[in-house]
Amino acid sequence: VTDKLQALNDEFTKKQKEKKDLEDSIVRCEQKRDRSERLIGGLGGERDRWSNEAQQLSESLENIVGDVLIAAAIVAYLGAFTVDYRECQELGISCSVKFVLYDTLGDPVQSCTWQLAGLPFDTFSVDNAIIVAHSRRWPLMIDLQGQANKWVVNMEKENGLRVVRQTDQSFTRVLEEALQKGLPLLIEGVGEELDPILDPVLLRQTFKQQGVDHVRVGEVVTEYHNNFRLYITTRLRNPHFLPQVTVKVVVLNFLITKMGLENQLLGLVVAHERPQLEERKNRLLVESAHNRRALQKTQEKILEVLSQEISAKEEVVQQTEQEIDAARGAYKPVAIHASVLFFCSIRSSDTSDDVNSRILLLNFYLTRAIFLSVTRSLFERDKILFSFMLYVRLQQAQGRVKEDVWRFLLTGGKGVLDNLHGAPPAPWLSEKAWTLLVQAADCESLSGVHEHLANNVEAWEEVYISAAPYLANFPQPFHQLHGLDRLALVKCIRPDKVTLAIHFDISSSYDDSTCSTPLIFILSPSTDPVAALRRFAIEKEMGEEDVQVISLGQGQVSD
């Protein structure tokens, strides 16, 4: 009975949980239904407008190519003409029956913003603003009445507009500031010729330096900010610009039209007679612009809610993946080349059952293969630099390079050759060499070297007069120096031997030679490899009887 009661209690608990889940599901469904009803009700008013807009778009689809072609032609060529010459005649192409530039490139929200900034309401002025917004060339506006100047100043004042004339002494400085900071620049009151310093800016002759766009302004190279905008106005009634000017800018005729003048005069009259009415109209104009912006944002939000969000995200992911793959694919030749070298190293290098030994063998063979592959295409004078940098980088990766010594080798010390330790202690030691030795003593491994030289001048003189100072025996306790430490002292005492100290390596050359392929040393004046050759023979455990020296110089005769 107890077991049955427990089973019933468990079943009751399970059913209660199912009931609770169903009640929660009902609540969620009701909430979704309410939201759907509100959304449908909100969209009901948009149905007619969207239907009409869809019908208009369907009708204009047949003429879109011709309309865009005409719009591009107007933007590129017709800016300098008056309203009568901008009327489209029979063109023999498929386009709208009555072509209007605003219908193709216009934006109602943007137009309201322009008009709030002082742009006249007439179609001609709006078309001029459209040309300014869509042209790839900076605008040069014929502005006899100052309408364009007023419009640009009001439109760009919140963006930090700079206004300047070509005759101002600060003209170049203001231009450079606007280019660097990405500020709008208005050059007003120009004549029929433009300052040649503007040519690179007008032609957008930018170039990259350290990943940043730059442009040349006269003799100065300055940064070019992508937000930079340029406006040019002239007060000339009928200017005759040379072709050299017109190809660099888009010339716009901003002369006032009859309709524009009527609107402006009407506004002045109403503002004088009934200022409250004119003020109310201006407020309505501002409100209309805000309403259009809000409507546009609402439409975009509704479309975003109704769209397939997951599909959109997946499309973005796929597009990003394709871009990444394309970027990575640009480096594919490097990967192929490196993989070939790597597998050649694996197949051609010596084998070993010990993992550590195998790694050493692979590293050695791969380094040698890369070195031979690169140096094969280098000039002889560049091979030594590549070899030295390869050696230093590998040593740095293993933590075997003392950074203070490496920095001293590259920079030659602190940069300021001030010496507080008096004159050089030996006549064969120059002032510069003595100062470098003093600075080299700041390195931990070379500490006290200048004092040791001052106390052991004769011992160090033997190193100085040696034909190969980089192979000479340094006085104790510096006799155990090797690598970059020894090279740093050679740079101080005999800087003319630094290149030879880096380049001279008999062991690697000996490995490349055979019994039928001798080594030939091409010597510079005062260089003698005999000492290094004898040292190498000792390292190879060869006695003096195994090394035979025969002189074939001038006046020497062999038996």
Side-chain angles (χ1 to χ4, degrees), residues 197-227:
I197 201 174
L198 290 173
D199 287 353
V201 179
L202 297 177
L203 298 176
R204 308 196 189 204
Q205 294 175 340
T206 60
F207 53 92
K208 293 282 188 180
Q209 277 190 0
Q210 299 179 352
V212 180
D213 287 332
H214 285 71
V215 68
R216 183 175 296 278
V217 179
E219 298 298 327
V220 180
V221 175
T222 184
E223 293 184 9
Y224 184 90
H225 200 288
N226 289 330
N227 292 336

Side-chain angles (χ1 to χ4, degrees), residues 228-276:
F228 170 77
R229 294 182 298 280
L230 177 63
Y231 306 91
I232 308 174
T233 61
T234 179
R235 289 278 187 168
L236 300 178
R237 176 181 295 274
N238 189 22
H240 297 278
F241 295 117
L242 296 176
Q244 295 89 325
V245 175
T246 57
V247 297
K248 300 173 186 175
V249 296
V250 53
V251 180
L252 287 173
N253 192 333
F254 250 89
L255 295 177
I256 193 169
T257 62
K258 182 176 181 295
M259 180 179 178
L261 181 59
E262 290 176 356
N263 287 330
Q264 292 186 31
L265 293 177
L266 178 61
L268 293 174
V269 172
V270 174
H272 182 269
E273 298 295 330
R274 302 184 61 181
Q276 296 179 352

Side-chain angles (χ1 to χ4, degrees), residues 110-130 132 141 147-148 150-152 154-155 254 260 263-264 285:
Q110 186 66 53
S111 297
C112 285
T113 304
W114 290 337
Q115 291 167 1
L116 287 175
L119 184 73
F121 290 78
D122 60 286
T123 304
F124 183 75
S125 299
V126 175
D127 287 353
N128 283 335
I130 292 175
V132 171
M141 295 170 279
Q147 294 185 112
K150 175 184 175 182
W151 168 58
V152 171
N154 293 334
M155 180 177 61
F254 250 89
N263 287 330
Q264 292 186 31
L285 185 61

Side-chain angles (χ1 to χ4, degrees), residues 96-156:
S96 300
V97 177
K98 183 174 178 56
F99 176 83
V100 178
L101 182 63
Y102 179 84
D103 295 339
T104 303
L105 299 179
D107 182 0
V109 177
Q110 186 66 53
S111 297
C112 285
T113 304
W114 290 337
Q115 291 167 1
L116 287 175
L119 184 73
F121 290 78
D122 60 286
T123 304
F124 183 75
S125 299
V126 175
D127 287 353
N128 283 335
I130 292 175
I131 295 175
V132 171
H134 290 85
S135 176
R136 294 184 178 181
R137 292 172 289 173
W138 300 120
L140 196 168
M141 295 170 279
I142 303 173
D143 187 28
L144 184 62
Q145 291 85 17
Q147 294 185 112
N149 194 294
K150 175 184 175 182
W151 168 58
V152 171
V153 170
N154 293 334
M155 180 177 61
E156 298 285 7

Side-chain angles (χ1 to χ4, degrees), residues 64 67 71 88 102 104 384 407 451 542:
I64 188 66
D67 290 346
C88 294
Y102 179 84
T104 303
I384 181 173
R407 195 178 305 110
E451 298 175 350
M542 298 180 183

Side-chain angles (χ1 to χ4, degrees), residues 171-460:
F171 172 69
T172 304
R173 178 181 57 80
V174 174
L175 175 61
E176 292 176 1
E177 180 188 13
L179 288 169
Q180 294 172 0
K181 298 181 180 180
L183 302 176
L185 176 64
L186 171 60
I187 304 176
E188 58 182 7
V190 301
E192 295 182 346
E193 296 181 359
L194 299 179
D195 195 323
I197 201 174
L198 290 173
D199 287 353
V201 179
L202 297 177
L203 298 176
R204 308 196 189 204
Q205 294 175 340
T206 60
F207 53 92
K208 293 282 188 180
Q209 277 190 0
Q210 299 179 352
V212 180
D213 287 332
H214 285 71
V215 68
R216 183 175 296 278
V217 179
E219 298 298 327
V220 180
V221 175
T222 184
E223 293 184 9
Y224 184 90
H225 200 288
N226 289 330
N227 292 336
F228 170 77
R229 294 182 298 280
L230 177 63
Y231 306 91
I232 308 174
T233 61
T234 179
R235 289 278 187 168
L236 300 178
R237 176 181 295 274
N238 189 22
H240 297 278
F241 295 117
L242 296 176
Q244 295 89 325
V245 175
T246 57
V247 297
K248 300 173 186 175
V249 296
V250 53
V251 180
L252 287 173
N253 192 333
F254 250 89
L255 295 177
I256 193 169
T257 62
K258 182 176 181 295
M259 180 179 178
L261 181 59
E262 290 176 356
N263 287 330
Q264 292 186 31
L265 293 177
L266 178 61
L268 293 174
V269 172
V270 174
H272 182 269
E273 298 295 330
R274 302 184 61 181
Q276 296 179 352
L277 184 62
E278 185 67 12
E279 182 180 356
R280 182 182 177 186
K281 181 180 182 299
N282 292 334
R283 286 201 305 267
L284 290 176
L285 185 61
V286 174
E287 184 178 354
S288 175
H290 291 323
N291 290 339
R292 294 197 180 198
R293 291 195 194 97
L295 179 61
Q296 186 177 15
K297 292 181 179 179
T298 303
Q299 291 176 353
E300 294 173 355
K301 187 174 181 180
I302 292 174
L303 292 175
E304 182 180 358
V305 172
L306 296 177
S307 65
Q308 297 292 334
E309 187 173 347
I310 297 178
S311 300
K313 290 182 178 179
E314 181 65 22
E315 183 179 353
V316 172
V317 170
Q318 292 178 358
Q319 181 178 358
T320 305
E321 185 178 1
Q322 292 176 357
E323 293 176 355
I324 294 175
D325 291 340
R328 294 176 72 249
Y331 297 93
K332 190 174 181 180
V334 179
I336 295 174
H337 186 73
S339 63
V340 170
L341 293 176
F342 177 74
F343 284 107
C344 286
S345 301
I346 292 179
R347 296 168 185 165
S348 304
S349 61
D350 297 334
T351 59
S352 176
D353 295 333
D354 182 65
V355 176
N356 294 330
S357 299
R358 178 62 173 162
I359 292 174
L360 291 176
L361 292 171
L362 285 174
N363 287 340
F364 171 78
Y365 195 91
L366 181 59
T367 304
R368 186 174 185 273
I370 292 176
F371 174 79
L372 295 176
S373 177
V374 173
T375 55
R376 188 176 296 115
S377 59
L378 295 179
F379 291 110
E380 199 65 32
R381 65 177 182 271
D382 299 325
K383 291 182 180 179
I384 181 173
L385 178 60
F386 173 74
S387 304
F388 181 61
M389 292 304 301
L390 181 63
Y391 163 78
V392 172
R393 292 303 183 189
L394 291 175
Q395 294 296 310
Q396 283 180 326
Q398 298 176 9
R400 297 179 180 178
V401 174
K402 304 179 183 68
E403 291 301 324
D404 54 351
V405 177
W406 175 237
R407 195 178 305 110
F408 174 78
L409 271 174
L410 292 178
T411 63
K414 300 177 181 177
V416 180
L417 301 179
D418 293 334
N419 191 353
L420 303 178
H421 293 266
W428 49 266
L429 194 64
S430 65
E431 283 279 355
K432 183 176 180 180
W434 173 238
T435 303
L436 286 176
L437 276 172
V438 172
Q439 295 184 358
D442 293 337
C443 300
E444 183 178 356
S445 58
L446 305 178
S447 178
V449 65
H450 62 299
E451 298 175 350
H452 188 275
L453 185 144
N455 298 326
N456 302 271
V457 174
E458 295 181 357
W460 283 99

